[in-house]
Amino acid sequence: MSDTKVYRASTTAPVNIAVVKYWGKRDAKLNLPTNSSLSVTLSQADLRTLTTASCSAAYKDDVLLLNGEPSDLTGARTQACLRELRTRRAALEDKDASLPKLSAMRLLLVSENNFPTAAGLASSAAGFAALVRAIADLYELPSSPTELSLIARQGSGSACRSLFGGYVAWQMGTQADGLDSQAVEVAPASHWPEMRALILVASAAKKGVSSTSGMQQTVATSGLFQQRIADVVPANMKRMEEAVAARDFAAFAEVTMRDSNSFHATCADTYPPIFYMNDVSRAAVRAVEAINAAAGQTVAAYTFDAGPNAVVYYLEENKDTVLGAFYPLLEKLDGWKEGAKGLKSTVQFDETVA
Ligand code: ADP
Ligand code: DP6
Ligand code: CO
């Protein structure tokens, strides 16, 4: 029967890991940031969200199944995404009466992250990018990546960058409506094809303080944060854009590590303090320092999001040096992904950047 017909679309979205971090909102409703940020989109070969969106007149409620569990869809930011997408679909239906009225149907969203959720590996970025694109595909919206990115930003700020590959800046913008707070590609992945990222899972457990709540506490209580957004981040954005343009790994690495340190310093300066890094994270920092000291040049750069897990950027030519140095750390790492053969505990080698 036609009224029980199910319409369906699936998509995947990649993780992006910031090298100049977003941390702070100037408008929590529209998810407008206190500073610009810049990230590298990782290959979907290892870390990705897979989301299937379906709708049917037979569905009774909007439902999100995240990693097999019913998950909250009622949050204001998720609702903002759904509302924008439905409004766009309704406009198409108004123009063409032959289109099925999908905008009036309930949605079933089935999503799976093949990496730890809410553990500081940007699950909200890949998650909302996939959610928005899956629904846009289901609704057959003629939306550009920029338009989808503006919607995904309202779900989770970092998600706006996951609609693009390569090196992506999220320009904070100045407008109150947020229409200029958007992600732009700074350079495609092909600009620097030797770039690699190694993901070290120190803990796959859900973090104690979500990114949304953590940054809110930092904005409210940290003095150091004021200096970060006024001076540190603008300088880091400029240096990072120059480093990427020139493919200058030493400069890229220094800004990446300094910006991660600056971000975690503002977390420590939050009152009460927030600690996302743990002993294994700090051991990874020391390992990177030892690799660079032994090499006599900077060949590896660590960065940590709001969680204990390290992402280490390096160039393909230094693969053996970098990966070899991390083997002694592996026993301390939390296992989460099968298939890392020959390694006692698991480590995610994400060999390519998208
Ligand atoms: P992370 O460091 O992993 O991005 P956050 O605290 O920013 O952690 O966000 C985690 C939240 O993002 C989850 O609790 C969930 O609400 C949401 N999320 C994660 N993955 C998905 C997904 N695939 N689809 C929808 N929402 C998701
Ligand atoms: C440390 O985008 O997860 O990963 O907008 O509240 O969903 P919400 O926060 P989120 O914050 C990401 C913080 C970060 C840095 C970054 O990705 O730029
Ligand atoms: Co997040």
Side-chain angles (χ1 to χ4, degrees), residues 16 18 21-25 27-35 37 39 77 81 122-129 148-164 168-171 181-183 211-212 215:
N16 74 75
K21 310 280 189 198
Y22 150 54
W23 194 251
K25 299 175 203 277
D27 179 330
K29 196 159 169 268
L30 286 174
N31 246 359
L32 304 181
T34 51
N35 59 266
S37 54
S39 61
R77 292 193 284 137
C81 295
S123 71
S124 66
F128 276 94
L148 296 184
S149 167
L150 282 165
I151 301 174
R153 187 204 76 226
Q154 296 176 52
S156 175
S158 54
C160 72
R161 300 184 308 238
S162 270
L163 271 309
F164 297 90
V168 184
W170 173 12
Q171 299 164 337
S181 184
Q182 59 179 10
S211 294
T212 305
M215 65 177 82

Side-chain angles (χ1 to χ4, degrees), residues 191-276:
H191 167 73
W192 206 348
E194 302 83 9
M195 184 64 78
R196 300 289 180 269
L198 161 68
I199 287 88
L200 294 166
V201 179
S203 169
K206 185 174 169 169
K207 62 181 94 166
V209 181
S210 72
S211 294
T212 305
S213 156
M215 65 177 82
Q216 189 184 333
Q217 295 170 39
T218 301
V219 172
T221 65
S222 168
L224 192 57
F225 170 76
Q226 297 305 328
Q227 193 200 342
R228 172 168 166 79
I229 60 171
D231 302 327
V232 177
V233 172
N236 283 351
M237 284 297 288
K238 185 164 177 290
R239 283 189 203 119
M240 184 54 79
E241 283 173 18
E242 288 166 2
V244 171
R247 291 190 287 263
D248 179 344
F249 187 82
F252 169 91
E254 182 173 340
V255 178
T256 296
M257 294 186 280
R258 281 183 179 277
D259 195 80
S260 177
N261 296 344
S262 156
F263 153 53
H264 288 279
T266 70
C267 290
D269 189 49
T270 300
Y271 192 76
I274 304 169
F275 303 115
Y276 286 120

